């Protein structure tokens, strides 16, 4: 994986892949007559070889979605390709053409990319490649998973936490701004998880639009809210904090956070 990144967001890069391997599923189904609601069935995932991204892959598959994941390691390639419904391809998120090739044929993109590779912040440059490729290809549904502390949620975390994560938060904030600007007409969603824990999901995590909220959330629960947001058009063009009000946290009190209805 690309070097270290401390407590908050997930590293990973996965993407959508070979249109020639898996037939393109244009299957977007209108679910309601009152609003145009899409179900995205072939989903590109960047960051899916570990952490939150890996949980996202699992949950997409369990919902019957096809996944195209970009990975950088052989072992991750094999592991993900062994999952029915997943096509993993060896693509470095820093390689724009590679990302574009993998994303081609997918109808949505989810990126949980983070970390750094040498001088390059994958948080920004990898995510930028996903956003740019989606723009080029006309993939209008993009979910970017960043971190509490980014953008207008800076005030939700202490100076100490901010300082320890500053490089990542600055890079992720740049990616967020790019998504919001580049994607003026598209269906983007930004999800900023609180401090991450690895443990069984509680199923109690929420998305909130309140930018003062911080807290803890388990990786599996981040994936849960991300995958539920995917086909929920109420989440379009919105920025959310993802926290678990049932887990007490020294980062902040999320127990009274108002939940966005997913
Ligand atoms: C955000 O949450 C805080 C803490 O629960 C609360 O005091 C504040 O009123 C909320 N702000 C909005 C806009 O709901």
């Amino acid at each position: 994986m690309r070097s270290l990144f401390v407590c908050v967001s997930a590293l990973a890069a996965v993407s959508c892949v070979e249109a020639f391997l898996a037939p393109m599923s244009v299957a977007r189904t209108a679910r309601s007559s009152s609003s145009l609601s899409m179900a995205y069935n072939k989903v590109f995932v960047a960051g899916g070889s570990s952490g939150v991204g890996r949980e996202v892959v699992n949950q997409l598959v369990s919902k019957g979605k096809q996944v195209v994941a970009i990975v950088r390691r052989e072992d991750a390639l094999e592991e993900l390709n062994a999952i029915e419904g997943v096509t993993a391809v060896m693509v470095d998120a820093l390689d724009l053409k590679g990302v574009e090739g993998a994303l081609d044929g997918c109808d949505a993109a989810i990126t949980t990319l983070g970390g750094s590779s040498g001088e390059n912040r994958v948080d920004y440059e990898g995510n930028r490649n996903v956003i740019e490729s989606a723009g080029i290809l006309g993939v209008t549904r993009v979910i970017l998973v960043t971190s509490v502390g980014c953008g207008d949620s800076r005030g939700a975390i202490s100076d100490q936490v901010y300082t320890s994560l500053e490089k990542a938060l600055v890079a992720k904030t740049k990616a967020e701004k790019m998504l919001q600007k580049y994607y003026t007409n598209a269906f983007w969603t930004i999800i900023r998880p609180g401090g991450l824990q690895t443990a069984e999901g509680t199923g109690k995590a929420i998305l909130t639009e309140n930018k003062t909220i911080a807290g803890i959330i388990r990786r599996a629960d981040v994936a849960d809210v991300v995958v539920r947001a995917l086909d929920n058009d109420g989440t379009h063009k919105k920025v959310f904090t993802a926290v678990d009000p049932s887990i007490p946290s020294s980062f902040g009190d999320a127990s009274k956070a108002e939940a966005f209805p997913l």
Side-chain angles (χ1 to χ4, degrees):
M1 207 66 257
R2 324 198 170 237
S3 124
L4 294 180
F5 172 164
V6 204
C7 79
V8 190
S9 257
L11 322 175
V14 182
S15 293
C16 232
V17 182
E18 299 164 36
F20 49 88
L21 280 187
M24 177 172 175
S25 73
V26 193
R28 296 182 179 181
T29 339
R31 283 180 315 199
S32 95
S33 52
S34 56
S35 69
L36 188 63
S37 193
M38 298 295 202
Y40 298 96
N41 292 317
K42 187 170 178 188
V43 184
F44 168 98
V45 180
S49 53
S50 64
V52 170
R54 179 54 200 272
E55 297 282 349
V56 166
V57 170
N58 293 346
Q59 293 190 26
L60 286 169
V61 167
S62 78
K63 291 200 169 181
K65 313 267 191 196
Q66 259 186 283
V67 174
V68 177
I70 54 167
V71 300
R72 291 174 68 241
R73 297 191 329 261
E74 279 293 341
D75 58 332
L77 185 77
E78 275 174 34
E79 196 182 312
L80 286 171
N81 272 326
I83 304 172
E84 199 180 331
V86 179
T87 304
V89 284
M90 287 288 262
V91 168
D92 189 329
L94 297 177
D95 166 17
L96 175 63
K97 281 289 152 201
V99 171
E100 194 188 319
L103 179 59
D104 196 2
C106 295
D107 51 20
I110 298 175
T111 173
T112 65
L113 287 171
S116 57
S117 179
E119 292 292 292
N120 302 307
R121 287 292 328 175
V122 180
D123 301 298
Y124 175 57
E125 294 176 44
N127 285 322
R128 181 194 63 200
N129 287 344
V130 174
I131 294 161
E132 209 168 302
S133 297
I136 289 165
L137 295 165
V139 175
T140 53
R141 182 71 176 124
V142 178
I143 300 183
L144 171 64
V145 179
T146 59
S147 174
V148 164
C150 287
D152 60 359
S153 67
R154 164 65 186 90
I157 58 173
S158 68
D159 290 349
Q160 194 188 359
V161 173
Y162 182 82
T163 304
S164 70
L165 297 172
E166 187 169 6
K167 282 206 172 101
L169 294 175
V170 167
K172 286 175 195 294
T173 299
K174 269 172 83 180
E176 289 186 348
K177 290 198 169 126
M178 182 182 174
L179 181 63
Q180 290 167 293
K181 288 211 180 98
Y182 203 95
Y183 258 74
T184 43
N185 293 308
F187 307 131
W188 56 264
T189 302
I190 291 167
I191 295 179
R192 298 170 174 159
L196 296 173
Q197 278 184 347
T198 299
E200 202 177 324
T202 67
K204 291 182 175 156
I206 59 157
L207 293 181
T208 178
E209 292 183 81
N210 188 325
K211 305 302 185 293
T212 72
I213 301 292
I216 297 283
I217 185 168
R218 297 191 173 155
R219 288 181 166 82
D221 290 318
V222 179
D224 175 56
V225 293
V226 166
V227 171
R228 284 200 280 147
L230 176 67
D231 292 334
N232 183 322
D233 53 14
T235 66
H236 292 174
K237 297 185 180 177
K238 290 204 167 101
V239 181
F240 296 102
T241 296
V243 286
D244 190 333
S246 76
I247 305 178
S249 153
S250 58
F251 291 129
D253 180 15
S255 64
K256 291 182 199 75
E258 197 185 324
F260 180 86
L262 269 183

